[in-house]
Amino acid sequence: MLNSEKIYCGVEHADARSLLYATGHLPENIGRKPLIGVVNTFNEIVPGHFHLRGIADAAKQGVLMAGGVPVEFPAIAICDGITMAHKGMMYPLPSRELIADSIESMTMAHALDGLVLVVSCDKTVPGALMAAARLNVPSIVISGGPMPTGHYRGEVSDYSACIETVGKVHNGDMTPEEQEELTQHCCPGCGSCSGMFTANSMNCLAEALGMALPGNGTIPSYYGERLGLAKRAGMRAVKMVEENLRPRDIMTEAAFANAIHVDMAIAGSTNTTLHLPAIANELGIPLPLKTFDEISKTTPNLCHISPNGHHHMDDLYRAGGIYAVMNELNKKEGMLDTGCMTVAGKTLGELLPGHDVRDYTVIRHIDDPYSAQGGLAVLFGNLAPMGCVVKAAAVAEKMMKHTGRARVFNYMEDATQAILDGKIVPGDMVVIKCEGPKGGPGMREMLSPTAAIVGKGLGETVSLLTDGRFSGATRGAAIGHVSPEAMEGGVFAVIEDGDTITVDIPNRTINLNVDDETLAKRQAEWKRPPLKVKSGYLVKYCNSVSSAATGAVTTTYCEGAF
């Protein structure tokens, strides 16, 4: 029996049925055909979502073609790039919870039989997957796709290059006029920003998890093939209801391991270490930071997509996409579990044949990787007993092991200004505290200070450490997600100007070089700083959010729910 049949059919449910008739539904469809919710994160300010009306329309066509009844409803989407470097950045990570909660609310309230999740940017993908995991109704992800790669004076460019111009202008290496010219050409059209930033990382990992069809992460936004994939996603949503194929059949522990292997191979955003655990949490699957590091140590890094290299998402698409990456990984025994089910109604092993690498300069051969280990590393030590995260693939070789002199700030804006004003010098480590999930609040991205470091020519001599997080566009020795965060006390909360910190990425350690007696005295005198917000949604978020080490979640899995 369909979910929708239970609340729309029969004498007892005439009232609910009358309201469907008010919107033009036909009696012969109600309770007889799957009622498929099409979640559309369209809005008119975010470039990754501006074009999603067309994607949603194509998905609805697919639902109709397969004999289902599509019903579209919205979810919010915030642009991390627009919120960068001001208080607006407090909202993107908390919006993940709003997205998941709103999808849950609409689906449960209206007894939808299945979902097509039309998403694109950073928090919409994990938020939608969290809802799918929580609800366990047949669900499929279709993203808006990567935007075209920009160009500036004959060279490729993107959002990452744009934000680094701030430091270049302050340093006298670029004029404001040149900056404006680049600004007008680095993001030339709609779609998720063209590097392996958080949005594209998560859209790629949706494929690896089995929750999206092949091509979801890499087919460019402006290709007709993207609309075709949306139609197929709509068709599969209906078939998944008929097959009773549900998210918990797909997103298994083995599927998450597959996704992390792919994450390391493509050197995805550090934000994946927040989002994958949050999705797994909805399923009752533990996914600690240590798991990411263990998998990273055995997974070769096969791709250097911007900001890690000069390739972009359209290059990865032409090279074969994520299934080609997985096919290459599968050449190494035990790397992937090919028995995992996918939304295609086939196992990963059944889908992989034919997805060969078409360009080994973009996707390296399994025997000729960029490095024998994956793109991310998790460090532990007295500064981060619960762990912290760095995109090792984007760190210069000379910074893989270094000791820095702490320059301590409690606000991202203060740190950025100090960098731009020339107050940070080689050998310094910029430490930004009180920017974690509770302290930010919302765990703001630190792209502005890291871009300023690179733009000022300090990328190979200055590092940054924070309990905040980074954009997928970040490069350099940027270490984030320090747990426990400063608002929860611990050694990180009591770092002082002039302390030295030793980082050893190959050996996965990070330590504050201060004796135990001094640390104990500092911690005894430490007082929790006040919240930076006094009212509104963020206060509620601060009071419920968990550590970054556990995915910064606000809800926990309850056995037997739904």
Side-chain angles (χ1 to χ4, degrees):
M1 177 182 283
L2 296 172
N3 284 338
S4 56
E5 185 178 351
K6 297 174 186 176
I7 74 158
Y8 294 113
C9 294
V11 174
E12 296 82 1
H13 301 298
D15 53 343
R17 203 158 56 251
S18 72
L19 295 169
L20 286 189
Y21 293 149
T23 60
H25 284 276
L26 301 176
E28 55 265 37
N29 287 345
I30 297 174
R32 294 172 176 82
K33 296 181 179 180
L35 190 62
I36 306 297
V38 179
V39 182
N40 188 358
T41 58
F42 159 83
N43 62 52
E44 291 187 340
I45 193 167
V46 182
H49 296 255
F50 190 87
H51 64 305
L52 292 189
R53 279 177 173 160
I55 302 293
D57 284 346
K60 288 190 289 185
Q61 289 177 40
V63 171
L64 289 167
M65 290 162 65
V69 179
V71 286
E72 182 181 338
F73 64 90
I76 65 169
I78 293 175
C79 180
D80 286 47
I82 292 175
T83 64
M84 204 66 67
H86 61 92
K87 291 182 178 179
M89 180 44 79
M90 293 177 177
Y91 286 91
L93 183 58
S95 77
R96 185 187 70 184
E97 313 305 307
L98 292 174
I99 293 162
D101 292 350
S102 65
I103 295 171
E104 173 196 344
S105 300
M106 287 294 289
T107 303
M108 295 299 293
H110 301 103
L112 303 180
D113 298 305
L115 293 170
V116 180
L117 304 164
V118 183
V119 292
S120 191
C121 289
D122 300 38
K123 308 310 168 299
T124 61
V125 188
L129 286 171
M130 287 165 66
R134 187 184 304 171
L135 295 164
N136 201 33
V137 300
S139 305
I140 186 169
V141 169
I142 173 65
S143 77
M147 71 166 55
T149 303
H151 291 81
Y152 168 70
R153 299 193 175 185
E155 295 185 1
V156 294
S157 186
D158 57 22
Y159 173 78
S160 176
C162 182
I163 199 163
E164 289 176 5
T165 63
V166 177
K168 291 180 179 179
V169 172
H170 276 270
N171 214 34
D173 297 327
M174 176 179 264
T175 67
E177 292 73 24
E178 290 171 333
Q179 180 192 45
E180 180 59 22
E181 182 183 346
L182 184 148
T183 299
Q184 292 185 16
H185 294 91
C186 64
C187 297
C190 294
S192 45
C193 295
S194 60
M196 190 57 75
F197 313 144
T198 306
N200 289 324
S201 295
M202 288 306 303
N203 283 315
C204 289
L205 296 190
E207 287 187 56
L209 267 176
M211 288 297 293
L213 295 171
N216 178 74
T218 57
I219 296 172
S221 60
Y222 50 97
Y223 277 30
E225 188 181 355
R226 171 65 56 182
L227 294 174
L229 191 71
K231 290 178 184 177
R232 293 195 182 280
M235 295 170 70
R236 276 304 303 161
V238 176
K239 296 301 181 185
M240 288 170 69
V241 173
E242 295 172 356
E243 297 161 3
N244 196 30
L245 179 58
R246 297 172 180 266
R248 293 180 191 175
D249 301 322
I250 297 168
M251 290 192 284
T252 61
E253 193 168 350
F256 279 100
N258 284 347
I260 298 173
H261 278 292
V262 172
D263 191 13
M264 299 307 156
I266 63 176
S269 165
T270 53
N271 283 313
T272 60
T273 66
L274 284 173
H275 298 322
L276 290 179
I279 300 163
N281 172 72
E282 299 287 349
L283 300 160
I285 297 174
L287 201 61
L289 284 178
K290 202 163 189 65
T291 300
F292 285 82
D293 198 52
E294 289 168 352
I295 291 177
S296 180
K297 289 177 180 177
T298 62
T299 308
N301 175 215
L302 304 181
C303 301
H304 271 190
I305 310 298
S306 176
N308 310 322
H310 65 278
H311 293 130
H312 286 79
M313 293 303 296
D314 47 9
D315 297 310
L316 183 56
Y317 164 74
R318 286 189 288 271
I322 292 303
Y323 266 73
V325 173
M326 289 195 284
N327 213 350
E328 197 63 27
L329 284 175
N330 199 42
K331 293 177 181 179
K332 188 175 180 181
E333 187 176 354
M335 189 64 62
L336 297 178
D337 186 331
T338 57
C340 289
M341 182 53 65
T342 74
V343 290
K346 298 178 180 180
T347 65
L348 181 60
E350 291 173 316
L351 290 177
L352 281 177
H355 290 280
D356 299 319
V357 176
R358 301 176 195 145
D359 187 343
Y360 276 109
T361 67
V362 179
I363 303 171
R364 290 283 191 96
H365 194 281
I366 192 73
D367 295 324
D368 182 33
Y370 283 102
S371 61
Q373 296 188 352
L376 301 182
V378 181
L379 315 182
F380 296 90
N382 68 351
L383 265 178
M386 295 171 65
C388 57
V389 184
V390 60
K391 186 185 277 194
V395 178
E397 183 61 34
K398 65 187 292 186
M399 297 296 284
M400 295 296 280
K401 291 184 179 182
H402 70 278
T403 296
R405 182 176 53 255
R407 298 294 309 280
V408 182
F409 303 89
N410 288 330
Y411 293 88
M412 174 182 64
E413 291 87 350
D414 293 344
T416 303
Q417 196 60 52
I419 296 163
L420 295 175
D421 289 344
K423 295 178 181 178
I424 303 301
V425 299
D428 283 348
M429 177 179 286
V430 177
V431 176
I432 308 178
K433 300 193 288 189
C434 300
E435 289 285 6
K438 293 180 186 293
M443 203 178 178
R444 293 196 292 172
E445 289 184 347
M446 303 287 117
L447 181 55
S448 293
T450 56
I453 288 170
V454 173
K456 293 285 282 185
L458 300 169
E460 296 190 5
T461 58
V462 169
S463 53
L464 188 147
L465 177 67
T466 181
D467 52 3
R469 60 195 177 94
F470 298 109
S471 164
T474 296
R475 59 191 177 107
I479 304 162
H481 302 217
V482 173
S483 299
E485 63 172 293
M487 285 289 284
E488 296 178 339
V491 173
F492 183 70
V494 297
I495 301 173
E496 295 183 358
D497 260 346
D499 290 346
T500 62
I501 298 167
T502 298
V503 175
D504 186 339
I505 296 174
N507 290 307
R508 305 299 201 259
T509 61
I510 182 167
N511 287 290
L512 180 66
N513 302 315
V514 174
D515 64 87
D516 292 342
E517 183 179 349
T518 301
L519 286 178
K521 184 175 183 295
R522 289 183 188 177
Q523 288 179 293
E525 296 172 350
W526 178 80
K527 293 181 180 179
R528 182 190 298 273
L531 289 180
K532 295 176 183 175
V533 291
K534 302 300 181 185
S535 63
Y537 171 58
L538 291 178
V539 173
K540 291 187 285 187
Y541 181 79
C542 289
N543 290 330
S544 60
V545 70
S546 74
S547 166
T550 53
V553 297
T554 59
T555 57
T556 55
Y557 173 78
C558 179
E559 187 67 46
F562 304 128

